[in-house]
Amino acid sequence: MKLIFIRHGEPDYSIDSLTEKGWREAEYLAQRISKLDVTEYFVSPLGRAQDTSKATMKAVNRTAITKDWLREFNVKVDKEYPTNSTVPWDWMPGIWTKYEEFFDKDHWMEQKTFQENKVGDLYQTVTAKLDELLEEYGYRRNGYVYDAVQPNHDTLVFFCHFGLECVLLSHLMNVSPLTLWHGTCSAPTGVTILATEERVKGTAYFRMLTYADVSHLYANGEEPSFAARFCETYDDVNDRH
């Protein structure tokens, strides 16, 4: 089985849709995804993900299934650093790295502000929904691996969001989401692919084949968006700090 996670195109958050560039990115994405043999498409209920999926759905004459749990992981947290951001993944490096539990796949949600804001509850709800879906397609969670109850070559595509994608990946790969939230970056329409490996009959593990790939943009002469990134050096005053 293959799982394909796609971040939405360059967003216009003010209208929960896409920028002009984002619409172009979605068209180039469709040229790539529409060539694949996809079993089912799933999409977040939020406008920017729905709009990103439209070009692909038109190209393949299909309808994506909306799943509420694919919406952005938007639980609010209080932070020590003065910032307007309340999302759990946008912490200053010097702050979040002080907490040893943030690096622990089993205990990261026990950090005080995460406990107070019930981040772990939402995480467990979302990842349980992913496991329910995977079981429908033949793979049942069993500890840190999956029982290949009905092993197959299905391909599932998910149009979603960076924060949420990191949550799902952390569950599949058994790591803390903090390391993915702060150590990776998916440019808009970045394509991440995982495939099962069943090296022992009946036991499967998801392995990442590619992360946040935007070759479909380069193939069309489109530079990846800076959205989701921050300034490369502090003196880059025109970039996000």
Side-chain angles (χ1 to χ4, degrees), residues 53-152:
S53 72
K54 286 179 179 177
T56 300
M57 294 304 95
K58 181 179 179 180
V60 298
N61 195 27
R62 300 268 296 273
T63 300
I65 299 173
T66 298
K67 294 288 188 180
D68 190 68
W69 54 271
L70 286 174
R71 66 174 55 247
E72 184 56 291
F73 196 78
N74 60 355
V75 59
K76 295 182 178 181
V77 299
D78 302 316
K79 301 175 183 177
E80 299 176 33
Y81 192 91
T83 174
N84 292 326
S85 173
T86 59
V87 294
W89 60 88
D90 183 11
W91 290 56
M92 293 298 175
I95 300 298
W96 79 267
T97 55
K98 293 191 305 182
Y99 298 98
E100 289 295 327
E101 58 265 46
F102 274 163
F103 295 92
D104 191 304
K105 63 179 173 58
D106 295 317
H107 300 288
W108 64 269
M109 61 185 73
E110 297 172 5
Q111 191 272 341
K112 183 174 181 292
T113 189
F114 275 20
Q115 280 192 326
E116 292 173 348
N117 295 279
K118 299 182 177 180
V119 177
D121 289 354
L122 181 58
Y123 180 92
Q124 291 173 341
T125 296
V126 168
T127 55
K129 290 294 185 181
L130 174 64
D131 284 341
E132 288 176 12
L133 182 68
L134 294 179
E135 187 163 0
E136 291 178 20
Y137 286 87
Y139 292 86
R140 183 175 58 221
R141 183 84 175 189
N142 182 4
Y144 293 134
V145 298
Y146 286 83
D147 292 333
V149 180
Q150 293 180 308
N152 58 74

Side-chain angles (χ1 to χ4, degrees), residues 194-211:
L194 290 85
T196 51
E197 290 186 347
E198 190 185 351
R199 301 177 68 186
V200 174
K201 186 173 178 60
T203 300
Y205 195 84
F206 284 92
R207 190 168 192 176
M208 187 180 293
L209 306 183
T210 184
Y211 177 73

Side-chain angles (χ1 to χ4, degrees), residues 9 18 20 33 44-45 89 106 134 137 145 194 220 229-230:
L18 306 177
E20 181 179 345
I33 302 301
S44 157
W89 60 88
D106 295 317
L134 294 179
Y137 286 87
V145 298
L194 290 85
N220 286 279
R229 293 184 58 194
F230 292 93

